[in-house]
Amino acid sequence: MSAQPSKEQWVELRQQAVTDISRVIEEVGLPDILLLYQRDVVELLDSTACDILFVEKSRRIGLTWALAAYCVLKAGRESAAGGMDAMYISYSQEMTREFIDACAMWARAFNVAAIDQEEFLFDDTDGNIDRFIQAFRIRFASGFEIGARSSAPRTLRGKQGVVIIDEAAFVDSLKELIKAAMAFLMWGGQVVVCSTHNGTENEFNVQIQDILTGRLPYEHRRIDLDDALKDGLYERICLVTGKEWTVEAAAEWRQD
C-alpha cells in the first residue's frame, strides 16, 4: 500500500485532479476511443436529466468498460462540479476486479490523481454465518472513490453516489437490490442497471417491460449485437487482437 501524502501534497493533488478532470470534460470531451453506443450511454449519464438508466445489451460489447470511464469522470470531480462516489456491483468477484482494473486504466489515461487502490475486508453477517466479503476501491484526490461491493442489498445501506448493477439478470435478489439502490436518488445519486437477458421471468426483464410500457419512467437503452457492429465493435476487436478487418471477416464473425 502506498504511503499517505502529507497535507501539502494532498492539497496539491486535489487541485491537480480538479484541473485535469475539468480539462478533459470541458476542452477535450469524451475520448474518441469510445464507440458511439458507449459514448451515448456516458453522455446520457453525464447529463443532469438522467438519474435512473436501464440498459439491455448483447454480451461482451464493452459497455462495462465505458461505464468505468464514466465512474472516473464522476469520482474525479469535486462535489461542486457534480462529483460523487461510484459503486459497482455484479454477481462475481472476478467482474468486480476487472471493473476496478478498467477504472484504474481510465484514471491514468485521464491523468486523475488516484491516491490509492486497495483491497480490504469487512465483517458481514448472514443469519448465523459470519463471513468476510472482499471488496476493492480507488480513492481520488477529489475526496471521492470508486468501490466494488457484493451484491447483498445491505452493502448499500448508508452509502451515497452512483451505483452500477452490472449483469443484473444474474444477480441474486435483484428486486431487493434495486430497491436498496433507489435510496441513492434522495441526495442526487444515480442508479444504472445493465445486463444481458436471462429469461422472460427474470426480474431484470420484468423491469424492462415495465419501462417499455410506461409503467416505470426510467431512461432506457437497448444495444444488440448488430447495433454494436454498426458502431464499430468488430473493427475494435480486430485492432485489439491484431487481425485484419474486412467486410467478409466481419460477416463471418457475425454469423459465428
Side-chain angles (χ1 to χ4, degrees):
M1 184 180 299
S2 60
Q4 291 295 315
S6 66
K7 181 179 179 180
E8 291 75 15
Q9 290 172 320
W10 177 263
V11 172
E12 182 180 353
L13 286 169
R14 185 182 179 90
Q15 184 57 48
Q16 183 65 42
V18 174
T19 300
D20 286 341
I21 207 66
S22 296
R23 176 179 57 78
V24 169
I25 297 170
E26 297 175 9
E27 298 180 13
V28 178
L30 293 176
D32 288 338
I33 195 172
L34 291 177
L35 300 175
L36 289 178
Y37 60 89
Q38 296 170 326
R39 180 185 294 265
D40 172 61
V41 168
V42 173
E43 287 180 340
L44 176 62
L45 290 173
D46 208 33
S47 71
T48 58
C50 180
D51 54 4
I52 305 172
L53 173 63
F54 275 69
V55 183
E56 49 180 337
K57 67 181 189 67
S58 181
R59 297 176 59 196
R60 304 296 294 172
I61 61 171
L63 185 62
T64 301
W65 189 67
L67 290 173
Y70 174 67
C71 286
V72 172
L73 291 172
K74 201 68 174 174
R77 293 183 172 114
E78 282 197 324
S79 179
M84 61 181 66
D85 289 335
M87 280 144 280
Y88 176 85
I89 294 172
S90 192
Y91 66 89
S92 76
Q93 185 185 80
E94 186 60 30
M95 288 188 67
T96 60
R97 188 187 300 271
E98 290 177 357
F99 183 79
I100 292 297
D101 287 345
C103 289
M105 182 281 297
W106 281 114
R108 288 190 293 269
F110 291 147
N111 197 28
V112 176
I115 296 302
D116 200 2
Q117 179 174 334
E118 63 185 32
E119 181 174 325
F120 61 95
L121 297 176
F122 60 94
D123 288 326
D124 185 47
T125 304
D126 185 6
N128 295 324
I129 301 174
D130 291 331
R131 60 183 181 181
F132 289 105
I133 296 178
Q134 199 171 48
F136 307 88
R137 65 182 178 185
I138 300 175
R139 290 194 301 230
F140 295 94
S142 64
F144 295 112
E145 68 180 40
I146 299 171
R149 301 190 174 276
S150 86
S151 60
R154 60 186 172 274
T155 64
L156 294 180
R157 291 177 182 171
K159 305 300 179 183
Q160 177 57 38
V162 177
V163 59
I164 295 172
I165 307 173
D166 197 7
E167 289 299 356
F170 301 89
V171 170
D172 294 332
S173 304
L174 178 59
K175 187 174 184 178
E176 292 302 314
L177 184 60
I178 292 175
K179 181 180 177 181
M182 290 302 176
F184 281 44
L185 304 177
M186 295 177 64
W187 290 86
Q190 286 179 307
V191 177
V192 183
V193 183
C194 59
S195 188
T196 54
H197 278 286
N198 186 24
T200 58
E201 302 301 318
N202 187 276
E203 179 63 25
F204 175 71
N205 187 56
V206 170
Q207 299 261 343
I208 291 292
Q209 297 309 313
D210 283 346
I211 294 170
L212 295 177
T213 55
R215 290 190 291 269
L216 290 176
Y218 303 156
E219 293 286 350
H220 167 261
R221 290 292 185 272
R222 183 178 189 271
I223 311 166
D224 65 21
L225 182 60
D226 288 327
D227 294 328
L229 288 172
K230 180 186 65 177
D231 287 346
L233 174 63
Y234 187 67
E235 287 93 327
R236 181 59 50 79
I237 291 173
C238 289
L239 178 65
V240 172
T241 60
K243 296 179 179 179
E244 180 182 359
W245 182 89
T246 65
V247 173
E248 294 77 14
E252 182 179 354
W253 186 89
R254 167 65 177 84
Q255 185 61 35
D256 288 342

